Amino acid sequence: MQAQSMLSGSCPNYKIPSIPTFKNPFFSSLTSNPSFHFFLQSHNYVSFKTHHSPCLKGFLKKLLFCVNTTENDVFEEKDYKKPQFVKRKKLAVFVSGGGSNFKSIHEACFQGLIHGDIVVLVTNKPDCGGADYGRSKEIPVVLFPRPKDEPDGFSPSDLVAALRSLEVDFVLLAGYLKLIPAELIRAYPQSILNIHPSLLPAFGGKGYYGMKVHKAVIASGARYSGPTIHFVDEHYDTGRILAQRVVPVLANDTAEELAARVLQEEHQLYVEVTAALCEERIIWREDGVPLIQSRENPNEFS
Ligand code: GRF
């Protein structure tokens, strides 16, 4: 789509959040406020507690390793024209399940296809496949929301402070099943994406997740389905649509077969969209619709 005339200037959506008090709460808290929450690693995931510091030194080392160890130093970004003046972005990924989207984004960061790095994984299921994968890659894993009777786990404000302290630029929901708190949405305007396995606005909203989506698509008689990536607002699946891919629904499809076909497209689409996000190629049309600017031809938008 040639969208130049519809754009509200050529300003990309990316804004570095700048709340001075959160500039670096993680480190400043260590010196200025001994009772401030800080990170430690326990039970294989990172928790946010008060008055606990035994593992702090080790964790800090590990955290800094994760944040600063630029496997991107090892992998050359040779597959595309490196954005000249674009800062490499820091990503937080949220998962509740197997984490195959998380894995494909993580691999794409390593391969230099995405101008960014995953610096933290957030989950409500510390034993899920995605969390296991994160730990195996030495990515800090955060439990959110805090389960009942569970001292570990983050409150919404803990979470926002943690993401700020890690200087996270963008949040990617990849199969995270909990509603995102308003506090996080306010802290990261136009900076949180979700992937949904149907062509929104069809088959979305509360209750449409996992196989339920694909069963409903098949039962409806729809001949096409596919993933949607959209910005996140305070409701399920209603934020502005950024990208979609179409796959056929075949006459004899089971929900599992359709899910596998859609998931394959999800992996490619989420990598492409995350690459655009990190290269600041998301442009907001005047009517509020986000568009992706082509890397090859900056006058082309989709
Ligand atoms: C995907 O189908 C995604 O669209 C939905 O949850 C699923 C996550 O799969 N939101 P995985 O955990 O990335 O394998």
Side-chain angles (χ1 to χ4, degrees):
M1 185 193 303
Q2 293 283 333
Q4 197 74 351
S5 59
M6 294 179 281
L7 306 179
S8 53
S10 58
C11 232
N13 79 313
Y14 175 67
K15 291 181 205 111
I16 298 174
S18 60
I19 297 180
T21 48
F22 277 117
K23 192 99 199 287
N24 204 333
F26 181 58
F27 295 104
S28 61
S29 67
L30 297 176
T31 51
S32 62
N33 183 354
S35 68
F36 191 82
H37 293 175
F38 44 72
F39 292 104
L40 71 146
Q41 193 157 36
S42 68
H43 311 304
N44 287 330
Y45 52 86
V46 174
S47 65
F48 209 47
K49 275 184 179 171
T50 315
H51 303 301
H52 281 81
S53 63
C55 311
L56 182 62
K57 212 169 153 198
F59 173 68
L60 254 178
K61 243 168 110 180
K62 195 165 194 178
L63 182 68
L64 290 171
F65 173 81
C66 290
V67 173
N68 293 333
T69 302
T70 54
E71 289 168 58
N72 42 307
D73 286 346
V74 179
F75 288 85
E76 288 256 333
E77 291 177 2
K78 53 184 175 303
D79 292 325
Y80 66 94
K81 210 166 41 160
K82 192 169 182 168
Q84 295 265 308
F85 304 107
V86 177
K87 165 188 163 282
R88 196 168 174 91
K89 303 300 187 295
K90 292 180 178 172
L91 307 170
V93 180
F94 286 41
V95 302
S96 298
S100 65
N101 278 287
F102 163 47
K103 194 173 166 198
S104 68
I105 292 168
H106 183 252
E107 282 170 356
C109 292
F110 271 63
Q111 289 162 0
L113 299 173
I114 292 175
H115 191 55
D117 300 292
I118 299 172
V119 298
V120 64
L121 183 80
V122 177
T123 186
N124 62 319
K125 301 238 182 251
D127 299 324
C128 71
D132 282 345
Y133 178 79
R135 282 188 291 267
S136 77
K137 298 295 172 189
E138 305 214 41
I139 295 170
V141 178
V142 155
L143 180 63
F144 177 81
R146 179 184 291 138
K148 267 193 196 132
D149 307 324
E150 170 61 75
D152 293 309
F154 285 27
S155 70
S157 54
D158 290 340
L159 181 64
V160 170
L163 299 188
R164 293 284 197 209
S165 71
L166 290 166
E167 299 178 340
V168 165
D169 297 297
F170 297 116
V171 172
L172 307 175
L173 310 186
Y176 183 72
L177 294 177
K178 295 283 182 185
L179 199 60
I180 297 302
E183 202 168 331
L184 182 58
I185 291 166
R186 278 197 301 272
Y188 281 88
Q190 298 183 334
S191 303
I192 307 177
L193 290 179
N194 180 44
I195 188 158
H196 182 80
S198 77
L199 295 171
L200 291 175
F203 308 106
K206 197 167 164 51
Y208 279 109
Y209 60 89
M211 284 303 151
K212 290 180 190 217
V213 176
H214 305 293
K215 281 182 183 158
V217 169
I218 291 169
S220 76
R223 299 306 203 263
Y224 294 97
S225 188
T228 299
I229 293 179
H230 62 93
F231 281 94
V232 171
D233 62 17
E234 288 167 30
H235 308 282
Y236 284 108
D237 304 326
T238 57
R240 290 291 191 172
I241 291 172
L242 176 60
Q244 293 184 311
R245 279 285 159 77
V246 176
V247 306
V249 181
L250 304 180
N252 297 320
D253 262 348
T254 62
E256 288 73 19
E257 285 165 345
L258 178 58
R261 197 174 305 124
V262 172
L263 193 61
Q264 208 177 346
E265 289 298 320
E266 289 186 32
H267 296 159
Q268 289 177 24
L269 188 64
Y270 221 171
V271 165
E272 283 174 28
V273 168
T274 305
L277 193 66
C278 291
E279 290 167 33
E280 304 179 6
R281 290 189 286 108
I282 310 295
I283 308 290
W284 291 80
R285 210 167 62 183
E286 274 174 4
D287 61 0
V289 171
L291 302 171
I292 296 177
Q293 186 175 35
S294 157
R295 186 193 286 143
E296 289 71 30
N297 181 357
N299 291 322
E300 253 178 44
F301 299 84
S302 58

